[in-house]
Amino acid sequence: MSTSEATTLDELVDTDRYPLADLDGAGGRSVLSQARKGLLAEGCTVLPDFIRPSLQRTLQQECADIAPRAHYDVATVNVYNMAVGPDLPEDHPGRTAFERGNAFVARDRIPGGSLISRLYSDETFQRFIARCFDLDELHELEDRLSGLVLNVVEPGMEHPWHFDTNEFTVSMLTQEAEEGGVFEYCPNIRSAQEENFDGVRDVLQGRGDARTRRLLLRPGDLQLFKGRFSLHRVSPVRGRLARHSAIFAYSERPGVVGSVSRTRQLFGRVLPQHLQAEGRAVRGDRLLD
Ligand SMILES: O=C(O)CCC(=O)C(=O)O
Ligand SMILES: [Fe+2]
């Protein structure tokens, strides 16, 4: 298939293997239980070939076509996205600086008819994701820039170690790097109660191999991940090809809009909705970023 026009969810997703509309049947229950097991134990699960092989080339091409719309701004960051003042202890892992060289295509620059847009907004898909994460409800972000993004990591760049602000993330690789560009993560290295700065410091200083997992992802695989407690990164990309991944952001509460400062950092601009929502943000825990 070369075009995504008029493609139903059944044509897009391998629903023989992943019966999204029949989650209470034997096949659906088995897929859910497998996904929940991975999320519980490791904070991560991968559903290989979620997109049917006949559409994987379209998926790759559609995203490669929009990748030049990414906002580039190599920023110096740390794991916690925190300001580093003179009071911060010398050995605090927040003092380790990285270059965040990945770039995001914002949702308002992703065509509504593309495969990733249609999957993001599909209610059957959303119900499936909610069940995997054991959530009663799940909502698209109200944020018209960050709800759905394409993450572009060009050769020579990396998406360095970090924690996510969101409790859970849904993503899909759409183009592999020739070399490098591996998703690496340290399951549950921190909790809502304990930052574990010693463990985090070990990873940042290259002593975290024993606790680091590396995922082999192919275009069209769906990844569910809990990134609030698991330190993770995309390792430096080598070779000629950029690594592309679609990130589907949802929240448990309706109406979520990103902060002005973070939005400007990621996309180089804000919309009136970000200015209006400023100051109304609610956080569920007191962890650094
Ligand atoms: O692109 C990926 O696979 C990971 C992206 C990520 O960790 C993030 O956007 O927070
Ligand atoms: Fe992340």
Side-chain angles (χ1 to χ4, degrees):
M1 235 177 276
S2 62
T3 168
S4 61
E5 292 310 311
T7 311
T8 64
L9 187 67
D10 271 332
E11 287 167 335
L12 176 55
V13 172
D14 185 348
T15 45
D16 305 316
R17 187 167 177 186
Y18 305 110
L20 305 193
D22 183 21
L23 296 177
D24 295 314
R29 277 187 283 130
S30 149
V31 168
L32 281 178
S33 115
Q34 181 83 8
R36 286 173 176 164
K37 217 187 297 173
L39 286 168
L40 199 63
E42 296 253 293
C44 186
T45 188
V46 175
L47 288 70
D49 284 325
F50 191 76
I51 299 295
R52 290 190 187 274
S54 57
L55 278 170
Q56 289 173 3
R57 173 86 192 131
T58 306
L59 175 77
Q60 181 273 327
Q61 191 60 51
E62 281 183 352
C63 293
D65 287 346
I66 59 170
R69 301 177 189 175
H71 171 71
Y72 285 90
D73 173 25
V74 175
T76 302
V77 296
N78 59 58
V79 174
Y80 305 108
N81 271 313
M82 72 193 296
V84 177
D87 293 346
L88 199 67
E90 274 311 307
D91 64 346
H92 192 289
R95 283 199 175 273
T96 306
F98 295 103
E99 293 227 309
R100 190 179 65 78
N102 62 304
F104 292 109
V105 180
R107 184 177 186 191
D108 66 348
R109 298 196 169 153
I110 300 176
S114 59
L115 297 180
I116 56 170
S117 286
R118 286 161 47 212
L119 196 56
Y120 178 65
S121 306
D122 188 283
E123 287 179 13
T124 305
F125 176 70
Q126 292 173 0
R127 267 195 300 277
F128 168 67
I129 298 298
R131 295 276 299 267
C132 288
F133 284 113
D134 250 325
L135 301 172
D136 293 334
E137 310 179 29
L138 178 144
H139 302 270
E140 293 180 31
L141 297 200
E142 198 147 305
D143 196 308
R144 286 193 289 278
L145 298 185
S146 69
L148 169 69
V149 299
L150 185 72
N151 190 13
V152 177
V153 190
E154 292 284 351
M157 301 294 188
E158 68 180 303
H159 188 171
W161 292 111
H162 67 282
F163 293 104
D164 292 343
T165 313
N166 293 344
E167 296 259 337
F168 59 91
T169 308
V170 181
S171 57
M172 178 174 283
L173 191 76
T174 68
Q175 180 169 292
E176 278 177 289
E178 288 178 328
E179 233 186 287
V182 178
F183 186 89
E184 301 182 337
Y185 69 107
C186 305
N188 298 314
I189 195 169
R190 75 173 181 181
S191 69
Q193 291 77 36
E194 171 57 53
E195 289 274 12
N196 185 15
F197 289 136
D198 290 342
V200 171
R201 188 186 309 106
D202 279 351
V203 175
L204 304 190
Q205 295 181 352
R207 296 190 305 268
D209 240 31
R211 66 193 317 158
T212 304
R213 311 258 189 285
R214 292 178 176 82
L215 280 189
L216 179 67
L217 291 168
R218 304 298 312 275
D221 292 355
L222 185 72
Q223 179 189 356
L224 309 188
F225 184 62
K226 299 187 84 164
R228 185 109 187 92
F229 306 124
S230 297
L231 188 63
H232 57 286
R233 72 164 180 170
V234 176
S235 69
V237 168
R238 311 264 173 240
R240 290 163 306 158
L241 288 179
R243 177 192 192 270
H244 298 161
S245 57
I247 302 186
F248 307 81
Y250 299 105
S251 59
E252 287 188 70
R253 291 172 297 118
V256 170
V257 175
S259 72
V260 167
S261 62
R262 179 61 77 91
T263 303
R264 212 183 286 286
Q265 186 185 37
L266 297 179
F267 304 108
R269 62 196 166 107
V270 297
L271 301 178
Q273 69 168 173
H274 298 102
L275 299 169
Q276 281 153 18
E278 191 71 348
R280 285 198 266 120
V282 181
R283 289 285 287 267
D285 59 50
R286 305 179 65 107
L287 291 167
L288 298 174
D289 197 26

